[in-house]
Amino acid sequence: MNNNLVTTDYVVFIIYFLIVSGYGYFIYRQRKKNEHDAKAFFLAEGTLTWWAIGASLIASNISAEQFIGMSGEGFFLGIAVAAYEWIAAIALIIVAVWFIPVYLKNKIYTMPQFLKTRYNESVALIMAIFWLFLYVFVNLTSILYLGAVAINGLTGGDYLHVIMIGLAVFALIISLGGMKVVAYTDVIQVAVLIFGGLVTTYIALTVVGEKFGVGANAIAWFQCFNGTGSRAFQNDHP
């Protein structure tokens, strides 16, 4: 098995980059022509469709944290790590059904805006500054670093800093287009994430099934949940 990128991989990556960038630039031109204020930049003037909002919500919550971080934790701790995302899905449904209608009715779109309405501007400002620094220096940097480490491993291990700079520049360019560009490019991103996640899951289960001798396909791995598979698993894990 070749663990490094080949020419076909680079071609796919470049084509994907051009499609996402071109589509994002097209949306940016449309937005720039019709929308000019801060509300349009951050909220897209309420013009986003439900499927774009849903795709953006999923894409924004799936990143290197899940594909690399949580996968690694799952290897050491087991399936219990997935409870974090399962419970989050329940929380999102509760928020969407009972909380969001109240916020929209009162024209509240951000957490600082809610804190300003509920308390005062000082509390809203403190919260905005805190989360800004947290996302910029903790969340975004960790995601960029984990993504760069993964790509760097595939390219041979000598381009970590170059990849990190490239990812940061790409993220900045997308962000300049505002919420509409981010949301509609996320539609493409989430399709790739879901498809890639399913393929990765299939390959991982196949490799694990072969290693533990339960079969040479992904479905065979689930034999570990019956008597035959359990004995095979226990022989390797006394």
Side-chain angles (χ1 to χ4, degrees):
M1 179 183 293
N2 188 0
N3 294 322
N4 295 322
L5 296 179
V6 297
T7 304
T8 306
D9 297 317
Y10 287 108
V11 171
V12 171
F13 180 80
I14 293 173
I15 292 175
Y16 176 71
F17 174 82
L18 292 176
I19 291 175
V20 174
S21 300
Y23 183 63
Y25 181 73
F26 171 75
I27 298 296
Y28 168 72
R29 294 289 296 179
Q30 295 293 109
R31 186 196 70 79
K32 188 176 181 181
K33 185 186 302 181
N34 302 318
E35 305 164 359
H36 307 283
D37 57 5
K39 185 177 180 181
F41 183 88
F42 288 105
L43 301 177
E45 282 291 357
T47 59
L48 294 177
T49 58
W50 65 268
W51 47 268
I53 295 173
S56 183
L57 182 65
I58 295 173
S60 299
N61 281 279
I62 300 177
S63 63
E65 292 174 293
Q66 281 71 39
F67 274 91
I68 301 175
M70 291 188 70
S71 297
E73 284 296 299
F75 178 81
F76 287 106
L77 302 179
I79 200 171
V81 175
Y84 174 81
E85 296 295 337
W86 291 339
I87 295 174
I90 299 174
L92 287 174
I93 294 174
I94 294 174
V95 170
V97 174
W98 284 285
F99 287 83
I100 293 298
V102 177
Y103 296 151
L104 294 179
K105 181 180 179 181
N106 292 276
K107 298 186 183 300
I108 295 175
Y109 307 108
T110 65
M111 194 62 193
Q113 188 179 3
F114 169 77
L115 292 176
K116 179 182 177 181
T117 303
R118 179 65 177 82
Y119 299 103
N120 53 57
E121 290 191 9
S122 299
V123 176
L125 181 62
I126 292 172
M127 189 270 183
I129 294 175
F130 172 77
W131 280 105
L132 179 64
F133 276 90
L134 185 67
Y135 266 84
V136 172
F137 295 106
V138 178
N139 190 272
L140 293 180
T141 51
S142 64
I143 291 174
L144 288 174
Y145 176 74
L146 287 173
V149 168
I151 299 174
N152 184 55
L154 293 173
T155 56
D158 299 321
Y159 306 99
L160 178 63
H161 296 91
V162 175
I163 295 171
M164 286 188 67
I165 294 173
L167 291 176
V169 171
F170 187 52
L172 178 62
I173 292 174
I174 291 179
S175 300
L176 292 176
M179 178 57 71
K180 180 174 285 189
V181 173
V182 172
Y184 281 110
T185 53
D186 276 347
V187 174
I188 302 176
Q189 308 275 23
V190 76
V192 174
L193 285 171
I194 293 175
F195 178 76
L198 292 173
V199 171
T200 303
T201 301
Y202 177 83
I203 294 174
L205 290 175
T206 300
V207 172
V208 171
E210 291 177 349
K211 177 176 176 58
F212 290 112
V214 296
N217 58 71
I219 304 300
W221 166 247
F222 290 97
Q223 293 177 9
C224 284
F225 293 104
N226 62 32
T228 303
S230 297
R231 286 193 296 271
F233 184 82
Q234 291 169 3
N235 289 336
D236 288 327
H237 291 74

